[in-house]
Amino acid sequence: ASKDNHLYSNYELGRLEMSVGNYDKARSIYKSIIGKNVNDSYVLLDLGKLEMAVGNNEEARKYFVELIEKEDNIFAKFELARIEIMEGNVYTARRLLNEILDVKRDLHTLFTLGKLENTEGYFMKAKMYLLEALSIKEDKFTLFELGKVELHLNNYVEARKYFEKVIELYGNDYCTLYELGKVELSYNNFDRARDLFLRVLSVKEDDAATLYELGKLETLCNNYELAKNYFLEQRKYENNLFALEQIVMLCIKLGNYEEAFDYYRELKKTGFDVNYRMQTVFYRELGVFFKDEYFDNYANQQVYDYDEYLAIEHIIEKHGEDFSSDIDLYSLFNYAKNNLTI
């Protein structure tokens, strides 16, 4: 009995070392007691979890598979399913999780399977599993995931209900504030959306996705300078080419054509498809400045192969004596801005 007590004490010591991140010590203790009358199932399971924690998924897999072969252990199946999800083996993960549900319909398995099906695009299946999980316990993660499912199903009222419940129960969860902000923005509830997005930034000031949404929101509210600043701030944390595109558009709206062309050239260098989306705007602007239907005709026909040299050639030929043949589009805009009455 004294020997058994010593082994169990060592097992608990291994768990303690693991809980504080001393993985090498924990591993050494666990390996020293395997096969010595302590329940190896717990040790193998903990060894697998330890290897997962340090990123050794293949080593972890060996322990979980050994335990499953030994006694069809559902806890090992759950951890193995998590590895399979991380490595993109969806079919195997789904099979393991369903095998667990055949034995025990527990919260963690239902949630994990629901989240997996949501990620894979099977939204009604995801909803079924998550609602069952919610019937066991109303927790933040299940409510949030259900909100995301309802968004995918375009059920915005239901999505809002779940996200608001998370905020009511758990306060400023920035992921939920962000998703709810997107819902409110989709309903053009600009003040409410703005408040939610700003609450995200109060928790996580460098959240690129939220800065992008605020840029979109302020653009819709015609607050162009503020919108531009949000997009510029967003690009400090993430190289979002759509944000750069919006910056170009906003510079045009603000009459900052030199900036617009600087950002436009930066965008073109990335290979971003600006042939129609962006050049249409430029050429329409030129058409307004020079009162020339040539550019509107291009835009209205949705011509994808724009050639700025042809545009310049046309302006020089038709409007021209003040321009040299090496002029660029920015110079044309600048001339129009300073010399033409719109």
Side-chain angles (χ1 to χ4, degrees):
S2 175
K3 182 180 178 182
D4 287 346
N5 288 338
H6 176 69
L7 290 170
Y8 278 108
S9 295
N10 279 348
Y11 170 69
E12 291 300 329
L13 179 59
R15 295 191 71 190
L16 177 62
E17 295 290 359
M18 184 172 162
S19 70
V20 296
N22 295 332
Y23 297 118
D24 289 339
K25 280 186 179 181
R27 184 188 291 111
S28 177
I29 292 168
Y30 284 144
K31 287 189 173 183
S32 74
I33 59 177
I34 287 181
K36 296 183 178 177
N37 294 325
V38 70
N39 190 329
D40 282 356
S41 298
Y42 295 118
V43 181
L44 289 169
L45 188 64
D46 280 0
L47 274 167
K49 289 180 179 180
L50 184 155
E51 298 299 349
M52 277 183 73
V54 297
N56 296 333
N57 284 352
E58 284 311 304
E59 194 65 23
R61 185 193 300 275
K62 292 176 187 176
Y63 290 119
F64 296 140
V65 168
E66 181 181 346
L67 191 48
I68 291 166
E69 290 175 348
K70 179 181 177 183
E71 58 183 54
D72 200 33
N73 187 291
I74 62 172
F75 302 105
K77 282 186 176 182
F78 181 78
E79 298 300 334
L80 183 56
R82 289 179 59 211
I83 291 176
E84 302 296 359
I85 290 170
M86 282 189 276
E87 297 185 351
N89 301 323
V90 174
Y91 176 81
T92 305
R94 186 183 283 123
R95 174 180 58 78
L96 288 164
L97 293 168
N98 276 302
E99 285 177 7
I100 298 169
L101 292 181
D102 288 340
V103 177
K104 180 183 179 185
R105 303 192 75 81
D106 69 290
L107 170 66
H108 297 299
T109 305
L110 288 163
F111 171 78
T112 303
L113 189 51
K115 186 173 181 179
L116 175 64
E117 299 297 6
N118 190 22
T119 302
E120 293 300 307
Y122 297 104
F123 304 128
M124 292 307 297
K125 273 190 177 181
K127 185 174 179 177
M128 177 186 71
Y129 290 123
L130 291 167
L131 284 172
E132 187 176 348
L134 195 65
S135 71
I136 297 171
K137 182 182 177 184
E138 189 176 70
D139 79 335
K140 155 177 158 176
F141 302 105
T142 307
L143 288 164
F144 179 73
E145 200 65 28
L146 270 166
K148 288 173 65 178
V149 169
E150 297 295 0
L151 275 185
H152 287 136
L153 293 170
N154 296 321
N155 297 332
Y156 295 111
V157 173
E158 287 297 305
R160 178 191 277 153
K161 180 183 76 174
Y162 288 122
F163 293 141
E164 286 181 340
K165 190 67 174 177
V166 175
I167 293 168
E168 176 191 329
L169 294 175
Y170 300 97
N172 278 4
D173 176 79
Y174 74 86
C175 292
T176 308
L177 291 168
Y178 169 75
E179 294 293 345
L180 184 55
K182 288 201 301 180
V183 172
E184 298 297 349
L185 184 56
S186 73
Y187 280 107
N188 292 334
N189 295 333
F190 299 130
D191 290 341
R192 171 73 168 143
R194 183 185 291 111
D195 175 66
L196 290 161
F197 290 140
L198 290 174
R199 284 167 67 185
V200 174
L201 295 184
S202 73
V203 179
K204 192 171 186 281
E205 64 181 15
D206 61 349
D207 191 71
T210 301
L211 289 163
Y212 184 80
E213 292 299 323
L214 275 166
K216 285 168 52 181
L217 185 156
E218 297 302 351
T219 301
L220 290 170
C221 294
N222 299 326
N223 298 324
Y224 299 137
E225 191 67 48
L226 184 55
K228 176 186 154 191
N229 289 337
Y230 279 127
F231 286 126
L232 287 169
E233 186 72 13
Q234 189 271 348
R235 295 198 72 235
K236 292 179 183 177
Y237 308 112
E238 180 182 277
N239 185 26
N240 185 332
L241 296 180
F242 291 103
L244 184 54
E245 179 188 40
Q246 293 302 314
I247 292 166
V248 176
M249 299 289 198
L250 288 163
C251 286
I252 291 172
K253 288 179 183 294
L254 290 163
N256 301 333
Y257 298 113
E258 185 170 10
E259 268 193 285
F261 273 97
D262 285 344
Y263 287 122
Y264 174 61
R265 291 188 182 101
E266 183 182 342
L267 191 60
K268 283 189 77 172
K269 286 177 185 175
T270 67
F272 187 80
D273 181 15
V274 296
N275 283 339
Y276 176 64
R277 294 160 63 90
M278 189 67 64
Q279 294 194 35
T280 293
V281 174
F282 282 150
Y283 289 172
R284 277 182 174 161
E285 289 289 315
L286 281 173
V288 171
F289 283 132
F290 290 98
K291 297 183 173 57
D292 191 328
E293 293 180 358
Y294 172 86
F295 300 102
D296 274 341
N297 289 338
Y298 257 64
N300 292 335
Q301 292 165 16
Q302 297 190 4
V303 176
Y304 284 79
D305 187 22
Y306 287 105
D307 186 330
E308 66 183 52
Y309 296 104
L310 286 177
I312 293 165
E313 184 179 290
H314 172 83
I315 290 177
I316 291 172
E317 180 181 332
K318 187 166 181 181
H319 303 282
E321 303 159 357
D322 298 316
F323 306 115
S324 65
S325 59
D326 61 351
I327 199 164
D328 63 17
L329 285 178
Y330 160 65
S331 299
L332 291 175
F333 268 118
N334 196 48
Y335 172 84
K337 176 178 154 189
N338 293 322
N339 295 283
L340 298 178
T341 301
I342 301 172

